Amino acid sequence: MDTQVVIIGGGPAGLLLSQLLNRAGVETVILERSTRAHVLERIRAGILEWGTVELLREAGVGARMEAEGIPHDGCYMTDSDLMVHIDFKGLTGKQVMVYGQTEVTHDLYDAQDAMGTIIHHGVEDVRITGLDDAQAVVEFTLNGEARRLTCAYVAGCDGFHGVSRQSIPKEKRQEFERVYPFGWLGILSRTPPVNDELIYANSPHGFALASMRSETLVRYYVQVPLTDKVEDWSDDRFWTEFRRRIPAQAAERLVKGPSIEKSIAPLRSFASEPMRWGRLFLAGDAAHIVPPTGAKGLNLAVSDVFYLHQALIDMLKRGDARGIDGYSQRALARVWKAMRFSWQMTMMLHRFDGEDGFAAQMRRATMAHLAGSETARKDLAENYIGLPY
Ligand code: FAS
Ligand code: PHB
C-alpha cells in the first residue's frame, strides 16, 4: 500500500484527523482541492466546545489557542430588550473558548508541516474505488498529472460539496434535510465587542448575533432574506440593522467601523446516513450540516474525528475492528442531538417571512420561560457547551 489512510479534504476535520493519526504512528496523505491560502482565508466558526479545546491540546496544537483564545463563562439570549444570561460555568461547570476556526486551521497546518505529512493542494478529479476490496484506491489529478494511491482506509473530510459522500451508492444513503428561508450576513470589523459575552438576539426585525474573535475584532451577523446579495448591504445599512436588533443597553455601547470581510451564508440542516461505507469513513460537513445558530458545525466535525481516530488506530495498530464497525452509529448518535439543538435554536431566534402572530408569541414565550426557569437555562447550557463524546 502507498499509505495507511488517505484523507480527502484539508479543512479542520481532515487536518485534525491526520494530526491525531500521525501522532499515533499512522501514516496519512491529505488531498485538498483548494490552495492553502484559500483554505486559510475562509471565515467560518468562532466558538469551540471544551471537548474541542481538549482534543486540540491532545493533538499538540493548543499553545496559541491557550495564549490567544478567550474562555467564555456564558452568553446572552435576548428578545428585544429582555436579556437572559445563560451561565454555562454556573450551570454546567464548563466554559467555551472563543478562537476562530481560521486560527485552528492555521495551527493544524503548521503542526502537520512540522510532522512532514504529505498534503497535496490543488488536487482535481478525485475518485475513490476498491471500498469493498483488500485495499482502497484513490485516483486524482495533480498539476495535470494522473496520480493513484492505494491505502487501507479513506477518510472523507471534504465538506458538503465534496466527492466522498457521493462515493456511497445513492440507494444506500438515507438523507435528511431542512433548508431555511433565510441566510446570515456576517461581517468582521476591527472594533471592540459590544458585549463581553455573545448575544443571540431575537427581535421583531429578525435575528442578530454579536460574536467576536478578540477584544479588538468583532464578528457580527444579521438574518437576511435568501434573495439578498452582499452588494445589497453597505456597511451603514448593516450597522443600522444590527443596532436595532440588539438590546438597547448593548446598542448604546456599539462602536461601528469599516467591515474587513462581509459574506452571506445560507442555513440548512442536513445529515446523510451511514457515515461508513466499506473502507470509507465520512467526518464533518461531508456527512452533516447544521445551521450556525448553535455553534455546532466545527465542533461536530471534531467529535466525529474523536471517534474516528480512535477507531482507525485500534484497527491499524491492534487489529481491533470494533471501533470502525461502530463508528457510524456512535458518531450519528451525537450528530442528531446537535442537529436537534441547532434546529431548535434556529426556530427560537429567527423571524420567518409570512409567519403569523402565533409564531412570534411562541418565540417570546420560549424566551420568557428561559428567563424564569433555571432548568430551561441549564438544558440550553448543556447543549451549547457540548454534549459528552
Ligand atoms: P470544510 O468544508 O471546512 O473542509 C472541507 C475541505 O475539503 C475544504 O477545504 C475543501 O476545499 C475540500 N474539498 C472539497 N471537495 C474536495 C474534493 N473533491 N477533493 C479534495 N478536497 C475537497 N460552524 C460553526 O460552528 N459556526 C459558524 O459560525 C459557522 N459558519 C460557517 C459559515 C460558512 C460560510 C460555512 C460554509 C460553514 C460555517 N460553519 C460554521 C460550519 C463550518 O465551520 C464547518 O462545520 C467546518 O468547516 C467543518 O469542517 P470540515 O468538515 O473540515 O469541512
Ligand atoms: C462566530 O463567531 O462566527 C459564531 C459564533 C457563534 C455562533 C455562530 C458563529 O453560533
Side-chain angles (χ1 to χ4, degrees):
M1 278 181 209
D2 298 313
T3 190
Q4 291 177 294
V5 183
V6 170
I7 297 173
I8 302 175
L15 291 165
L16 180 57
L17 178 63
S18 182
Q19 177 69 6
L20 289 163
L21 291 177
N22 294 167
R23 284 170 66 93
V26 172
E27 203 183 85
T28 59
V29 173
I30 298 177
L31 305 181
E32 167 53 51
R33 176 176 60 186
S34 305
T35 64
R36 189 168 293 192
H38 180 77
V39 175
L40 290 173
E41 71 193 8
R42 290 189 302 228
I43 307 296
R44 294 282 184 81
I47 300 296
L48 306 183
E49 295 174 355
W50 214 255
T52 296
V53 169
E54 288 170 345
L55 195 58
L56 291 173
R57 282 179 184 148
E58 184 186 321
V61 293
R64 203 160 66 93
M65 172 184 64
E66 305 280 0
E68 299 175 17
I70 312 169
H72 272 200
D73 291 350
C75 74
Y76 288 86
M77 298 287 148
T78 70
D79 178 16
S80 297
D81 292 338
L82 169 68
M83 292 187 75
V84 182
H85 187 237
I86 309 296
D87 178 9
F88 305 146
K89 194 86 182 283
L91 292 164
T92 70
K94 295 256 179 102
Q95 300 168 296
V96 295
M97 179 74 86
V98 172
Y99 190 65
Q101 174 176 324
T102 310
E103 308 318 317
V104 172
T105 310
H106 239 294
D107 296 341
L108 283 166
Y109 267 119
D110 289 350
Q112 282 283 277
D113 288 346
M115 280 264 183
T117 306
I118 298 172
I119 304 176
H120 292 311
H121 286 278
V123 305
E124 295 175 305
D125 315 318
V126 172
R127 228 161 59 79
I128 309 165
T129 55
L131 293 178
D132 293 329
D133 299 346
Q135 60 185 23
V137 179
V138 182
E139 294 166 297
F140 56 99
T141 308
L142 182 63
N143 306 323
E145 185 192 336
R147 303 286 288 270
R148 181 178 189 275
L149 288 173
T150 55
C151 57
Y153 298 106
V154 180
C157 301
D158 47 352
F160 183 68
H161 300 290
V163 299
S164 300
R165 186 174 68 252
Q166 312 301 335
S167 303
I168 300 176
K170 189 164 179 50
E171 69 276 7
K172 300 294 184 185
R173 299 197 312 257
Q174 192 174 6
E175 299 188 346
F176 307 82
E177 186 165 50
R178 173 77 83 248
V179 178
Y180 300 93
F182 39 73
W184 280 17
L185 166 67
I187 72 158
L188 275 179
S189 172
R190 294 200 186 289
T191 50
V194 72
N195 198 50
D196 59 341
E197 293 177 333
L198 271 60
I199 296 176
Y200 288 80
N202 169 40
S203 88
H205 311 291
F207 171 77
L209 171 59
S211 184
M212 64 189 81
R213 291 291 179 270
S214 71
E215 307 295 356
T216 58
L217 182 64
V218 297
R219 179 66 168 168
Y220 292 155
Y221 298 91
V222 291
Q223 168 190 351
V224 295
L226 271 181
T227 47
D228 278 16
K229 303 275 178 288
V230 176
E231 47 273 16
D232 299 334
W233 283 83
S234 68
D235 284 5
D236 284 348
R237 184 183 176 198
F238 178 87
W239 289 119
T240 302
E241 198 53 41
F242 178 77
R243 192 180 197 284
R244 72 176 185 156
R245 296 187 186 189
I246 61 175
Q249 64 186 80
E252 283 160 16
R253 299 191 293 264
L254 182 62
V255 176
K256 303 174 190 175
S259 61
I260 57 173
E261 193 275 348
K262 198 185 287 180
S263 52
I264 294 180
L267 271 64
R268 88 175 64 235
S269 297
F270 173 85
S272 178
E273 297 186 359
M275 288 175 61
R276 181 219 181 156
W277 187 254
R279 294 185 175 278
L280 170 66
F281 297 84
L282 304 183
D285 279 16
H288 42 72
I289 296 284
V290 287
T293 330
K296 292 292 156 232
L298 171 61
N299 293 295
L300 269 184
V302 171
S303 54
D304 290 347
V305 165
F306 174 79
Y307 302 134
L308 184 54
H309 93 280
Q310 285 180 336
L312 290 173
I313 292 165
D314 284 351
M315 184 61 197
L316 289 166
K317 288 290 183 188
R318 292 181 279 279
D320 180 348
R322 287 174 298 175
I324 57 174
D325 290 344
Y327 167 70
S328 182
Q329 186 180 1
R330 191 180 180 202
L332 283 166
R334 190 173 190 274
V335 163
W336 279 113
K337 291 175 188 170
M339 189 75 65
R340 181 204 63 82
F341 176 66
S342 303
W343 166 81
Q344 185 183 49
M345 287 276 279
T346 302
M347 299 304 285
M348 176 176 98
L349 291 163
H350 291 77
R351 256 190 103 268
F352 286 66
D353 280 351
E355 69 179 22
D356 61 10
F358 182 81
Q361 286 299 94
M362 288 300 97
R363 281 201 304 281
R364 300 188 75 86
T366 303
M367 205 59 81
H369 179 55
L370 263 183
S373 163
E374 183 179 290
T375 305
R377 291 193 299 276
K378 183 170 182 174
D379 174 58
L380 193 153
E382 279 180 353
N383 281 281
Y384 192 94
I385 57 107
L387 296 176
Y389 285 2

